[in-house]
PDB file of all heavy atoms in Angstrom:
ATOM      1  N   MET A1346     142.662 -60.743 -83.290  1.00  0.00           N
ATOM      2  CA  MET A1346     141.285 -60.430 -83.040  1.00  0.00           C
ATOM      3  C   MET A1346     141.014 -60.062 -81.586  1.00  0.00           C
ATOM      4  O   MET A1346     140.321 -59.112 -81.320  1.00  0.00           O
ATOM      5  CB  MET A1346     140.395 -61.603 -83.425  1.00  0.00           C
ATOM      6  CG  MET A1346     139.998 -61.630 -84.859  1.00  0.00           C
ATOM      7  SD  MET A1346     139.089 -60.158 -85.263  1.00  0.00           S
ATOM      8  CE  MET A1346     138.623 -60.493 -86.872  1.00  0.00           C
ATOM      9  N   ALA A1347     141.533 -60.869 -80.653  1.00  0.00           N
ATOM     10  CA  ALA A1347     141.295 -60.571 -79.236  1.00  0.00           C
ATOM     11  C   ALA A1347     141.845 -59.198 -78.881  1.00  0.00           C
ATOM     12  O   ALA A1347     141.219 -58.457 -78.119  1.00  0.00           O
ATOM     13  CB  ALA A1347     141.916 -61.643 -78.355  1.00  0.00           C
ATOM     14  N   SER A1348     142.987 -58.820 -79.452  1.00  0.00           N
ATOM     15  CA  SER A1348     143.565 -57.510 -79.156  1.00  0.00           C
ATOM     16  C   SER A1348     142.670 -56.385 -79.664  1.00  0.00           C
ATOM     17  O   SER A1348     142.561 -55.338 -79.021  1.00  0.00           O
ATOM     18  CB  SER A1348     144.977 -57.396 -79.742  1.00  0.00           C
ATOM     19  OG  SER A1348     144.946 -57.549 -81.146  1.00  0.00           O
ATOM     20  N   ASN A1349     142.021 -56.581 -80.796  1.00  0.00           N
ATOM     21  CA  ASN A1349     141.084 -55.577 -81.314  1.00  0.00           C
ATOM     22  C   ASN A1349     139.880 -55.419 -80.392  1.00  0.00           C
ATOM     23  O   ASN A1349     139.415 -54.306 -80.160  1.00  0.00           O
ATOM     24  CB  ASN A1349     140.601 -55.957 -82.711  1.00  0.00           C
ATOM     25  CG  ASN A1349     141.702 -55.918 -83.743  1.00  0.00           C
ATOM     26  OD1 ASN A1349     142.779 -55.364 -83.510  1.00  0.00           O
ATOM     27  ND2 ASN A1349     141.456 -56.526 -84.886  1.00  0.00           N
ATOM     28  N   ILE A1350     139.397 -56.510 -79.874  1.00  0.00           N
ATOM     29  CA  ILE A1350     138.254 -56.470 -78.953  1.00  0.00           C
ATOM     30  C   ILE A1350     138.650 -55.754 -77.671  1.00  0.00           C
ATOM     31  O   ILE A1350     137.916 -54.899 -77.163  1.00  0.00           O
ATOM     32  CB  ILE A1350     137.727 -57.892 -78.681  1.00  0.00           C
ATOM     33  CG1 ILE A1350     137.142 -58.481 -79.967  1.00  0.00           C
ATOM     34  CG2 ILE A1350     136.695 -57.885 -77.556  1.00  0.00           C
ATOM     35  CD1 ILE A1350     136.826 -59.953 -79.899  1.00  0.00           C
ATOM     36  N   HIS A1351     139.827 -56.077 -77.151  1.00  0.00           N
ATOM     37  CA  HIS A1351     140.333 -55.395 -75.952  1.00  0.00           C
ATOM     38  C   HIS A1351     140.486 -53.903 -76.195  1.00  0.00           C
ATOM     39  O   HIS A1351     140.156 -53.085 -75.332  1.00  0.00           O
ATOM     40  CB  HIS A1351     141.667 -55.991 -75.501  1.00  0.00           C
ATOM     41  CG  HIS A1351     141.542 -57.358 -74.925  1.00  0.00           C
ATOM     42  ND1 HIS A1351     142.526 -58.307 -75.095  1.00  0.00           N
ATOM     43  CD2 HIS A1351     140.582 -57.956 -74.193  1.00  0.00           C
ATOM     44  CE1 HIS A1351     142.160 -59.428 -74.493  1.00  0.00           C
ATOM     45  NE2 HIS A1351     140.976 -59.235 -73.943  1.00  0.00           N
ATOM     46  N   ALA A1352     141.010 -53.539 -77.371  1.00  0.00           N
ATOM     47  CA  ALA A1352     141.219 -52.127 -77.712  1.00  0.00           C
ATOM     48  C   ALA A1352     139.911 -51.347 -77.726  1.00  0.00           C
ATOM     49  O   ALA A1352     139.889 -50.156 -77.438  1.00  0.00           O
ATOM     50  CB  ALA A1352     141.922 -52.015 -79.069  1.00  0.00           C
ATOM     51  N   GLU A1353     138.828 -52.035 -78.031  1.00  0.00           N
ATOM     52  CA  GLU A1353     137.514 -51.390 -78.066  1.00  0.00           C
ATOM     53  C   GLU A1353     136.789 -51.475 -76.729  1.00  0.00           C
ATOM     54  O   GLU A1353     135.631 -51.084 -76.612  1.00  0.00           O
ATOM     55  CB  GLU A1353     136.647 -52.017 -79.166  1.00  0.00           C
ATOM     56  CG  GLU A1353     137.164 -51.779 -80.571  1.00  0.00           C
ATOM     57  CD  GLU A1353     137.101 -50.311 -80.979  1.00  0.00           C
ATOM     58  OE1 GLU A1353     136.127 -49.627 -80.601  1.00  0.00           O
ATOM     59  OE2 GLU A1353     138.042 -49.857 -81.656  1.00  0.00           O
ATOM     60  N   GLY A1354     137.475 -52.005 -75.718  1.00  0.00           N
ATOM     61  CA  GLY A1354     136.886 -52.065 -74.381  1.00  0.00           C
ATOM     62  C   GLY A1354     136.138 -53.345 -74.078  1.00  0.00           C
ATOM     63  O   GLY A1354     135.507 -53.474 -73.029  1.00  0.00           O
ATOM     64  N   GLY A1355     136.210 -54.314 -74.978  1.00  0.00           N
ATOM     65  CA  GLY A1355     135.513 -55.581 -74.771  1.00  0.00           C
ATOM     66  C   GLY A1355     136.381 -56.605 -74.060  1.00  0.00           C
ATOM     67  O   GLY A1355     137.556 -56.370 -73.769  1.00  0.00           O
ATOM     68  N   GLN A1356     135.791 -57.720 -73.793  1.00  0.00           N
ATOM     69  CA  GLN A1356     136.488 -58.816 -73.125  1.00  0.00           C
ATOM     70  C   GLN A1356     136.616 -59.966 -74.110  1.00  0.00           C
ATOM     71  O   GLN A1356     135.639 -60.371 -74.745  1.00  0.00           O
ATOM     72  CB  GLN A1356     135.694 -59.262 -71.894  1.00  0.00           C
ATOM     73  CG  GLN A1356     136.378 -60.321 -71.087  1.00  0.00           C
ATOM     74  CD  GLN A1356     135.552 -60.782 -69.892  1.00  0.00           C
ATOM     75  OE1 GLN A1356     134.398 -60.415 -69.741  1.00  0.00           O
ATOM     76  NE2 GLN A1356     136.143 -61.604 -69.060  1.00  0.00           N
ATOM     77  N   ALA A1357     137.825 -60.489 -74.243  1.00  0.00           N
ATOM     78  CA  ALA A1357     138.072 -61.600 -75.166  1.00  0.00           C
ATOM     79  C   ALA A1357     139.197 -62.471 -74.623  1.00  0.00           C
ATOM     80  O   ALA A1357     140.074 -61.996 -73.907  1.00  0.00           O
ATOM     81  CB  ALA A1357     138.458 -61.077 -76.545  1.00  0.00           C
ATOM     82  N   ALA A1358     139.148 -63.729 -74.955  1.00  0.00           N
ATOM     83  CA  ALA A1358     140.207 -64.663 -74.599  1.00  0.00           C
ATOM     84  C   ALA A1358     140.360 -65.654 -75.747  1.00  0.00           C
ATOM     85  O   ALA A1358     139.386 -66.006 -76.405  1.00  0.00           O
ATOM     86  CB  ALA A1358     139.869 -65.404 -73.312  1.00  0.00           C
ATOM     87  N   VAL A1359     141.577 -66.072 -75.962  1.00  0.00           N
ATOM     88  CA  VAL A1359     141.858 -67.096 -76.962  1.00  0.00           C
ATOM     89  C   VAL A1359     142.171 -68.384 -76.218  1.00  0.00           C
ATOM     90  O   VAL A1359     143.052 -68.413 -75.360  1.00  0.00           O
ATOM     91  CB  VAL A1359     143.044 -66.688 -77.856  1.00  0.00           C
ATOM     92  CG1 VAL A1359     143.377 -67.812 -78.834  1.00  0.00           C
ATOM     93  CG2 VAL A1359     142.737 -65.398 -78.594  1.00  0.00           C
ATOM     94  N   VAL A1360     141.423 -69.424 -76.529  1.00  0.00           N
ATOM     95  CA  VAL A1360     141.634 -70.728 -75.908  1.00  0.00           C
ATOM     96  C   VAL A1360     141.877 -71.723 -77.032  1.00  0.00           C
ATOM     97  O   VAL A1360     141.041 -71.889 -77.906  1.00  0.00           O
ATOM     98  CB  VAL A1360     140.407 -71.155 -75.067  1.00  0.00           C
ATOM     99  CG1 VAL A1360     140.634 -72.526 -74.468  1.00  0.00           C
ATOM    100  CG2 VAL A1360     140.114 -70.127 -73.985  1.00  0.00           C
ATOM    101  N   LEU A1361     143.019 -72.356 -76.999  1.00  0.00           N
ATOM    102  CA  LEU A1361     143.383 -73.330 -78.027  1.00  0.00           C
ATOM    103  C   LEU A1361     143.384 -74.722 -77.429  1.00  0.00           C
ATOM    104  O   LEU A1361     143.716 -74.906 -76.251  1.00  0.00           O
ATOM    105  CB  LEU A1361     144.776 -73.016 -78.574  1.00  0.00           C
ATOM    106  CG  LEU A1361     144.958 -71.636 -79.204  1.00  0.00           C
ATOM    107  CD1 LEU A1361     146.413 -71.434 -79.601  1.00  0.00           C
ATOM    108  CD2 LEU A1361     144.045 -71.452 -80.397  1.00  0.00           C
ATOM    109  N   GLY A1362     143.024 -75.695 -78.234  1.00  0.00           N
ATOM    110  CA  GLY A1362     143.062 -77.065 -77.764  1.00  0.00           C
ATOM    111  C   GLY A1362     142.700 -78.038 -78.855  1.00  0.00           C
ATOM    112  O   GLY A1362     142.343 -77.663 -79.963  1.00  0.00           O
ATOM    113  N   ASP A1363     142.786 -79.290 -78.517  1.00  0.00           N
ATOM    114  CA  ASP A1363     142.507 -80.395 -79.433  1.00  0.00           C
ATOM    115  C   ASP A1363     141.086 -80.881 -79.212  1.00  0.00           C
ATOM    116  O   ASP A1363     140.790 -81.513 -78.202  1.00  0.00           O
ATOM    117  CB  ASP A1363     143.511 -81.517 -79.165  1.00  0.00           C
ATOM    118  CG  ASP A1363     143.329 -82.704 -80.083  1.00  0.00           C
ATOM    119  OD1 ASP A1363     142.452 -82.657 -80.978  1.00  0.00           O
ATOM    120  OD2 ASP A1363     144.064 -83.690 -79.912  1.00  0.00           O
ATOM    121  N   LEU A1364     140.207 -80.591 -80.155  1.00  0.00           N
ATOM    122  CA  LEU A1364     138.805 -81.004 -80.036  1.00  0.00           C
ATOM    123  C   LEU A1364     138.555 -82.405 -80.585  1.00  0.00           C
ATOM    124  O   LEU A1364     137.413 -82.855 -80.610  1.00  0.00           O
ATOM    125  CB  LEU A1364     137.898 -79.993 -80.741  1.00  0.00           C
ATOM    126  CG  LEU A1364     137.989 -78.561 -80.224  1.00  0.00           C
ATOM    127  CD1 LEU A1364     137.059 -77.662 -81.025  1.00  0.00           C
ATOM    128  CD2 LEU A1364     137.678 -78.487 -78.745  1.00  0.00           C
ATOM    129  N   SER A1365     139.615 -83.089 -80.974  1.00  0.00           N
ATOM    130  CA  SER A1365     139.424 -84.430 -81.524  1.00  0.00           C
ATOM    131  C   SER A1365     139.264 -85.483 -80.433  1.00  0.00           C
ATOM    132  O   SER A1365     139.012 -86.649 -80.740  1.00  0.00           O
ATOM    133  CB  SER A1365     140.588 -84.802 -82.450  1.00  0.00           C
ATOM    134  OG  SER A1365     141.779 -84.975 -81.704  1.00  0.00           O
ATOM    135  N   THR A1366     139.395 -85.074 -79.171  1.00  0.00           N
ATOM    136  CA  THR A1366     139.190 -86.000 -78.055  1.00  0.00           C
ATOM    137  C   THR A1366     138.308 -85.342 -77.004  1.00  0.00           C
ATOM    138  O   THR A1366     138.262 -84.106 -76.900  1.00  0.00           O
ATOM    139  CB  THR A1366     140.528 -86.399 -77.388  1.00  0.00           C
ATOM    140  OG1 THR A1366     141.077 -85.253 -76.726  1.00  0.00           O
ATOM    141  CG2 THR A1366     141.520 -86.960 -78.385  1.00  0.00           C
ATOM    142  N   ALA A1367     137.644 -86.145 -76.208  1.00  0.00           N
ATOM    143  CA  ALA A1367     136.812 -85.615 -75.121  1.00  0.00           C
ATOM    144  C   ALA A1367     137.674 -84.900 -74.087  1.00  0.00           C
ATOM    145  O   ALA A1367     137.271 -83.858 -73.544  1.00  0.00           O
ATOM    146  CB  ALA A1367     136.022 -86.746 -74.465  1.00  0.00           C
ATOM    147  N   ILE A1368     138.862 -85.412 -73.822  1.00  0.00           N
ATOM    148  CA  ILE A1368     139.768 -84.772 -72.862  1.00  0.00           C
ATOM    149  C   ILE A1368     140.189 -83.394 -73.369  1.00  0.00           C
ATOM    150  O   ILE A1368     140.191 -82.410 -72.620  1.00  0.00           O
ATOM    151  CB  ILE A1368     140.995 -85.669 -72.588  1.00  0.00           C
ATOM    152  CG1 ILE A1368     140.566 -86.921 -71.827  1.00  0.00           C
ATOM    153  CG2 ILE A1368     142.074 -84.915 -71.829  1.00  0.00           C
ATOM    154  CD1 ILE A1368     141.647 -87.986 -71.729  1.00  0.00           C
ATOM    155  N   GLY A1369     140.529 -83.307 -74.629  1.00  0.00           N
ATOM    156  CA  GLY A1369     140.911 -82.022 -75.217  1.00  0.00           C
ATOM    157  C   GLY A1369     139.768 -81.021 -75.184  1.00  0.00           C
ATOM    158  O   GLY A1369     139.970 -79.847 -74.874  1.00  0.00           O
ATOM    159  N   ALA A1370     138.562 -81.470 -75.503  1.00  0.00           N
ATOM    160  CA  ALA A1370     137.398 -80.584 -75.463  1.00  0.00           C
ATOM    161  C   ALA A1370     137.132 -80.112 -74.035  1.00  0.00           C
ATOM    162  O   ALA A1370     136.800 -78.946 -73.812  1.00  0.00           O
ATOM    163  CB  ALA A1370     136.179 -81.292 -76.028  1.00  0.00           C
ATOM    164  N   GLN A1371     137.302 -80.996 -73.056  1.00  0.00           N
ATOM    165  CA  GLN A1371     137.094 -80.609 -71.663  1.00  0.00           C
ATOM    166  C   GLN A1371     138.128 -79.571 -71.236  1.00  0.00           C
ATOM    167  O   GLN A1371     137.797 -78.626 -70.517  1.00  0.00           O
ATOM    168  CB  GLN A1371     137.156 -81.835 -70.751  1.00  0.00           C
ATOM    169  CG  GLN A1371     136.763 -81.542 -69.315  1.00  0.00           C
ATOM    170  CD  GLN A1371     135.316 -81.087 -69.200  1.00  0.00           C
ATOM    171  OE1 GLN A1371     134.410 -81.800 -69.586  1.00  0.00           O
ATOM    172  NE2 GLN A1371     135.114 -79.893 -68.663  1.00  0.00           N
ATOM    173  N   GLN A1372     139.360 -79.722 -71.694  1.00  0.00           N
ATOM    174  CA  GLN A1372     140.398 -78.746 -71.373  1.00  0.00           C
ATOM    175  C   GLN A1372     140.068 -77.375 -71.965  1.00  0.00           C
ATOM    176  O   GLN A1372     140.236 -76.347 -71.306  1.00  0.00           O
ATOM    177  CB  GLN A1372     141.764 -79.232 -71.862  1.00  0.00           C
ATOM    178  CG  GLN A1372     142.292 -80.395 -71.059  1.00  0.00           C
ATOM    179  CD  GLN A1372     143.540 -81.026 -71.663  1.00  0.00           C
ATOM    180  OE1 GLN A1372     143.814 -80.890 -72.854  1.00  0.00           O
ATOM    181  NE2 GLN A1372     144.286 -81.732 -70.839  1.00  0.00           N
ATOM    182  N   VAL A1373     139.576 -77.352 -73.192  1.00  0.00           N
ATOM    183  CA  VAL A1373     139.165 -76.097 -73.825  1.00  0.00           C
ATOM    184  C   VAL A1373     138.022 -75.470 -73.036  1.00  0.00           C
ATOM    185  O   VAL A1373     138.029 -74.272 -72.739  1.00  0.00           O
ATOM    186  CB  VAL A1373     138.757 -76.328 -75.302  1.00  0.00           C
ATOM    187  CG1 VAL A1373     138.043 -75.117 -75.879  1.00  0.00           C
ATOM    188  CG2 VAL A1373     139.976 -76.681 -76.129  1.00  0.00           C
ATOM    189  N   ALA A1374     137.032 -76.279 -72.686  1.00  0.00           N
ATOM    190  CA  ALA A1374     135.889 -75.769 -71.920  1.00  0.00           C
ATOM    191  C   ALA A1374     136.340 -75.220 -70.570  1.00  0.00           C
ATOM    192  O   ALA A1374     135.912 -74.126 -70.165  1.00  0.00           O
ATOM    193  CB  ALA A1374     134.860 -76.887 -71.732  1.00  0.00           C
ATOM    194  N   ASP A1375     137.195 -75.942 -69.881  1.00  0.00           N
ATOM    195  CA  ASP A1375     137.678 -75.497 -68.568  1.00  0.00           C
ATOM    196  C   ASP A1375     138.434 -74.177 -68.670  1.00  0.00           C
ATOM    197  O   ASP A1375     138.254 -73.284 -67.832  1.00  0.00           O
ATOM    198  CB  ASP A1375     138.566 -76.565 -67.927  1.00  0.00           C
ATOM    199  CG  ASP A1375     137.800 -77.822 -67.533  1.00  0.00           C
ATOM    200  OD1 ASP A1375     136.553 -77.784 -67.467  1.00  0.00           O
ATOM    201  OD2 ASP A1375     138.465 -78.846 -67.293  1.00  0.00           O
ATOM    202  N   GLU A1376     139.280 -74.042 -69.680  1.00  0.00           N
ATOM    203  CA  GLU A1376     140.029 -72.797 -69.867  1.00  0.00           C
ATOM    204  C   GLU A1376     139.104 -71.629 -70.195  1.00  0.00           C
ATOM    205  O   GLU A1376     139.316 -70.515 -69.724  1.00  0.00           O
ATOM    206  CB  GLU A1376     141.084 -72.964 -70.965  1.00  0.00           C
ATOM    207  CG  GLU A1376     142.263 -73.811 -70.547  1.00  0.00           C
ATOM    208  CD  GLU A1376     143.080 -73.165 -69.428  1.00  0.00           C
ATOM    209  OE1 GLU A1376     143.357 -71.957 -69.490  1.00  0.00           O
ATOM    210  OE2 GLU A1376     143.438 -73.894 -68.480  1.00  0.00           O
ATOM    211  N   ALA A1377     138.080 -71.882 -70.996  1.00  0.00           N
ATOM    212  CA  ALA A1377     137.119 -70.821 -71.336  1.00  0.00           C
ATOM    213  C   ALA A1377     136.330 -70.391 -70.104  1.00  0.00           C
ATOM    214  O   ALA A1377     136.131 -69.197 -69.864  1.00  0.00           O
ATOM    215  CB  ALA A1377     136.179 -71.293 -72.437  1.00  0.00           C
ATOM    216  N   VAL A1378     135.892 -71.339 -69.306  1.00  0.00           N
ATOM    217  CA  VAL A1378     135.173 -71.026 -68.070  1.00  0.00           C
ATOM    218  C   VAL A1378     136.077 -70.218 -67.141  1.00  0.00           C
ATOM    219  O   VAL A1378     135.658 -69.211 -66.554  1.00  0.00           O
ATOM    220  CB  VAL A1378     134.658 -72.310 -67.378  1.00  0.00           C
ATOM    221  CG1 VAL A1378     134.171 -72.013 -65.969  1.00  0.00           C
ATOM    222  CG2 VAL A1378     133.555 -72.955 -68.205  1.00  0.00           C
ATOM    223  N   LYS A1379     137.327 -70.628 -67.040  1.00  0.00           N
ATOM    224  CA  LYS A1379     138.288 -69.926 -66.183  1.00  0.00           C
ATOM    225  C   LYS A1379     138.515 -68.493 -66.687  1.00  0.00           C
ATOM    226  O   LYS A1379     138.578 -67.551 -65.892  1.00  0.00           O
ATOM    227  CB  LYS A1379     139.603 -70.702 -66.158  1.00  0.00           C
ATOM    228  CG  LYS A1379     140.679 -70.085 -65.309  1.00  0.00           C
ATOM    229  CD  LYS A1379     141.938 -70.944 -65.348  1.00  0.00           C
ATOM    230  CE  LYS A1379     143.096 -70.275 -64.650  1.00  0.00           C
ATOM    231  NZ  LYS A1379     144.334 -71.065 -64.766  1.00  0.00           N
ATOM    232  N   ALA A1380     138.640 -68.320 -67.982  1.00  0.00           N
ATOM    233  CA  ALA A1380     138.923 -67.006 -68.560  1.00  0.00           C
ATOM    234  C   ALA A1380     137.782 -66.014 -68.334  1.00  0.00           C
ATOM    235  O   ALA A1380     138.021 -64.823 -68.145  1.00  0.00           O
ATOM    236  CB  ALA A1380     139.207 -67.140 -70.062  1.00  0.00           C
ATOM    237  N   PHE A1381     136.550 -66.500 -68.355  1.00  0.00           N
ATOM    238  CA  PHE A1381     135.397 -65.609 -68.268  1.00  0.00           C
ATOM    239  C   PHE A1381     134.617 -65.746 -66.965  1.00  0.00           C
ATOM    240  O   PHE A1381     133.659 -65.020 -66.731  1.00  0.00           O
ATOM    241  CB  PHE A1381     134.456 -65.846 -69.452  1.00  0.00           C
ATOM    242  CG  PHE A1381     135.046 -65.420 -70.756  1.00  0.00           C
ATOM    243  CD1 PHE A1381     135.487 -66.352 -71.672  1.00  0.00           C
ATOM    244  CD2 PHE A1381     135.192 -64.081 -71.060  1.00  0.00           C
ATOM    245  CE1 PHE A1381     136.052 -65.957 -72.877  1.00  0.00           C
ATOM    246  CE2 PHE A1381     135.745 -63.674 -72.259  1.00  0.00           C
ATOM    247  CZ  PHE A1381     136.182 -64.619 -73.172  1.00  0.00           C
ATOM    248  N   GLY A1382     134.981 -66.701 -66.141  1.00  0.00           N
ATOM    249  CA  GLY A1382     134.235 -66.916 -64.900  1.00  0.00           C
ATOM    250  C   GLY A1382     132.935 -67.664 -65.122  1.00  0.00           C
ATOM    251  O   GLY A1382     132.159 -67.861 -64.203  1.00  0.00           O
ATOM    252  N   GLY A1383     132.702 -68.102 -66.330  1.00  0.00           N
ATOM    253  CA  GLY A1383     131.502 -68.861 -66.666  1.00  0.00           C
ATOM    254  C   GLY A1383     131.220 -68.758 -68.151  1.00  0.00           C
ATOM    255  O   GLY A1383     131.654 -67.809 -68.802  1.00  0.00           O
ATOM    256  N   ILE A1384     130.517 -69.736 -68.652  1.00  0.00           N
ATOM    257  CA  ILE A1384     130.119 -69.744 -70.070  1.00  0.00           C
ATOM    258  C   ILE A1384     128.627 -70.032 -70.120  1.00  0.00           C
ATOM    259  O   ILE A1384     128.162 -71.029 -69.579  1.00  0.00           O
ATOM    260  CB  ILE A1384     130.875 -70.839 -70.865  1.00  0.00           C
ATOM    261  CG1 ILE A1384     132.386 -70.596 -70.844  1.00  0.00           C
ATOM    262  CG2 ILE A1384     130.356 -70.933 -72.294  1.00  0.00           C
ATOM    263  CD1 ILE A1384     132.856 -69.375 -71.586  1.00  0.00           C
ATOM    264  N   ASP A1385     127.874 -69.151 -70.753  1.00  0.00           N
ATOM    265  CA  ASP A1385     126.443 -69.404 -70.886  1.00  0.00           C
ATOM    266  C   ASP A1385     125.997 -69.492 -72.342  1.00  0.00           C
ATOM    267  O   ASP A1385     124.864 -69.823 -72.629  1.00  0.00           O
ATOM    268  CB  ASP A1385     125.611 -68.367 -70.124  1.00  0.00           C
ATOM    269  CG  ASP A1385     125.937 -66.938 -70.505  1.00  0.00           C
ATOM    270  OD1 ASP A1385     126.701 -66.720 -71.453  1.00  0.00           O
ATOM    271  OD2 ASP A1385     125.408 -66.041 -69.838  1.00  0.00           O
ATOM    272  N   ILE A1386     126.912 -69.219 -73.265  1.00  0.00           N
ATOM    273  CA  ILE A1386     126.606 -69.374 -74.686  1.00  0.00           C
ATOM    274  C   ILE A1386     127.774 -70.102 -75.350  1.00  0.00           C
ATOM    275  O   ILE A1386     128.930 -69.704 -75.203  1.00  0.00           O
ATOM    276  CB  ILE A1386     126.373 -68.028 -75.386  1.00  0.00           C
ATOM    277  CG1 ILE A1386     125.189 -67.303 -74.750  1.00  0.00           C
ATOM    278  CG2 ILE A1386     126.143 -68.233 -76.885  1.00  0.00           C
ATOM    279  CD1 ILE A1386     124.974 -65.902 -75.272  1.00  0.00           C
ATOM    280  N   LEU A1387     127.461 -71.167 -76.066  1.00  0.00           N
ATOM    281  CA  LEU A1387     128.448 -71.921 -76.839  1.00  0.00           C
ATOM    282  C   LEU A1387     128.050 -71.818 -78.303  1.00  0.00           C
ATOM    283  O   LEU A1387     126.922 -72.158 -78.661  1.00  0.00           O
ATOM    284  CB  LEU A1387     128.469 -73.394 -76.406  1.00  0.00           C
ATOM    285  CG  LEU A1387     129.241 -74.358 -77.306  1.00  0.00           C
ATOM    286  CD1 LEU A1387     130.723 -74.005 -77.361  1.00  0.00           C
ATOM    287  CD2 LEU A1387     129.030 -75.796 -76.840  1.00  0.00           C
ATOM    288  N   ILE A1388     128.950 -71.322 -79.121  1.00  0.00           N
ATOM    289  CA  ILE A1388     128.709 -71.266 -80.563  1.00  0.00           C
ATOM    290  C   ILE A1388     129.703 -72.208 -81.222  1.00  0.00           C
ATOM    291  O   ILE A1388     130.913 -71.987 -81.166  1.00  0.00           O
ATOM    292  CB  ILE A1388     128.863 -69.839 -81.119  1.00  0.00           C
ATOM    293  CG1 ILE A1388     127.862 -68.911 -80.436  1.00  0.00           C
ATOM    294  CG2 ILE A1388     128.687 -69.841 -82.647  1.00  0.00           C
ATOM    295  CD1 ILE A1388     128.012 -67.456 -80.805  1.00  0.00           C
TER     296      ILE A1388
END
């Protein structure tokens, strides 16, 4: 999916992690913020 978005000129990142713990969720959030320079929408 991310490759399709890139091919169309969009920006995408895949961030994987363990959401079953607060530490894992924080790691996912940190990686997403790092990938995009900020997060203003969480779905």
Side-chain angles (χ1 to χ4, degrees):
M1346 274 300 185
S1348 61
N1349 294 346
I1350 294 169
H1351 289 146
E1353 294 293 323
Q1356 184 182 8
V1359 176
V1360 178
L1361 301 176
D1363 181 3
L1364 301 179
S1365 69
T1366 68
I1368 292 169
Q1371 188 63 59
Q1372 289 171 338
V1373 167
D1375 292 344
E1376 287 295 316
V1378 168
K1379 180 180 173 184
F1381 292 106
I1384 299 293
D1385 54 8
I1386 299 174
L1387 168 63
I1388 300 174

